[in-house]
Structure formats: C-alpha cells, structure tokens
Amino acid sequence: MATSFEVVHNCGHTVTHDLSNRSADRRASFARWLAGRDCTDCWKAARDADTQSKEEWLAAKRAAEQEAAAAWAKKFDMPQLEGPEKALDWGERSRHQLMTSAYAALVVEGSWDEADWAELEEKARSITRAGWWIDQREAEGSDLLELLDAAGEGDRGTENPFS
C-alpha cells in the first residue's frame, strides 16, 4: 500500500507527502483534501502577509482612536495623564472610551442631567494616573461614578485640576 503521495496543490506546486502516519484507508482521501489547499510554503506566506495587513489595520485603528481621544481631552479640558510613556496613549484612549460610554449610559439613556454629568466630569479630571484608566477599560460606563469614588490617592494628580 502506498504511503507517499505526490500532490498537486491549489497553488500549483507539487509536493510529495509522506502519509504513513495515517491509516491506510484514509491516505487517498487526505491526499485529495491536500490537493484542494495551498502547499505549506504558500500557506505560510499567505498567513504572514495576512498578519502584516492585520497589524497595519490595527495600527491605523489605534491612531484614529488616539486622535479622537486627544481631541476629546482637549475639548473637555481633561488633564494630561501621568505614568510610563508607553501607558500614556493607552490610558488616554481608555479614559475616552469609558467617559463616552458613561455619558451614553448615564445621560443619553439614563436619567442624569448635565449638572450631574459635570460633577462626574470633575471627579474624572482628578484621576490622572494612566494605569487607573487602563485598569478600568472593560468597566461598564454606568459604573464609572462608583469607580471614581473608589480611586485611591495614588490615582489622583497632585497638580491643581483647575486651569
């Protein structure tokens, strides 16, 4: 019984496959299945190219999110965050996402008025540690007030929050 099969792959390459590790009654059908796929080298090349395009897409998405977060922070007079350089952008994006989620949950869909929101906004301005915002990135917007109240002194900035 044959254990090696010469397979012409979808990509056009011919590869001899050793199928001795498969039972005899499954070798031919597996060889047909292989013929419907790209060879290993072409598959890896396509996968690597796909990974690169995903990385490019993610970088573009992060840049757009960062731009929106920076514009939002400037518009609403949010203070600069503090922490390690690599955490600052992530913290800014996390703060923006949580604050907009909270506004939607509490004001747009909830019963809060602008005065209630202004009070929450002031509490949010006092939290300047980027890591705190990153830690809350998966929180529900409706929980933001409770989270802000629970923040410790190490999470709050030392500068005067009033411009």
Side-chain angles (χ1 to χ4, degrees):
M1 184 79 174
T3 59
S4 291
F5 289 79
E6 193 168 284
V7 176
V8 179
H9 287 275
N10 232 12
C11 58
H13 294 117
T14 301
V15 178
T16 302
H17 291 276
D18 175 11
L19 302 181
S20 60
N21 62 343
R22 300 197 175 272
S23 62
D25 63 336
R26 295 179 182 228
R27 292 177 190 150
S29 64
F30 189 68
R32 281 191 302 277
W33 181 84
L34 285 171
R37 310 285 178 277
D38 288 345
C39 71
T40 302
D41 291 339
C42 290
W43 175 80
K44 286 180 180 178
R47 182 194 63 195
D48 292 346
D50 189 44
T51 299
Q52 184 177 359
S53 67
K54 283 180 185 175
E55 289 172 358
E56 290 169 359
W57 173 82
L58 186 59
K61 184 177 188 277
R62 288 286 179 260
E65 289 174 350
Q66 191 62 43
E67 187 177 315
W72 173 86
K74 183 175 182 170
K75 179 178 179 179
F76 292 101
D77 199 29
M78 290 290 161
Q80 290 289 317
L81 296 179
E82 301 164 353
E85 185 67 33
K86 66 182 185 177
L88 296 178
D89 287 349
W90 188 12
E92 196 170 75
R93 288 191 311 271
S94 297
R95 175 176 66 181
H96 176 242
Q97 291 166 350
L98 184 55
M99 290 291 288
T100 55
S101 172
Y103 187 83
L106 300 172
V107 179
V108 176
E109 298 168 3
S111 60
W112 281 34
D113 61 20
E114 290 299 323
D116 293 329
W117 179 253
E119 188 176 318
L120 181 137
E121 228 174 27
E122 282 306 312
K123 287 183 180 185
R125 281 187 186 96
S126 72
I127 308 297
T128 58
R129 187 174 71 83
W132 188 90
W133 291 101
I134 294 168
D135 290 345
Q136 313 315 317
R137 69 186 177 276
E138 295 178 5
E140 295 292 324
S142 57
D143 295 335
L144 182 56
L145 181 61
E146 185 177 354
L147 293 169
L148 290 169
D149 287 342
E153 285 304 310
D155 300 315
R156 299 181 194 285
T158 55
E159 294 182 19
N160 183 356
F162 302 102
S163 305

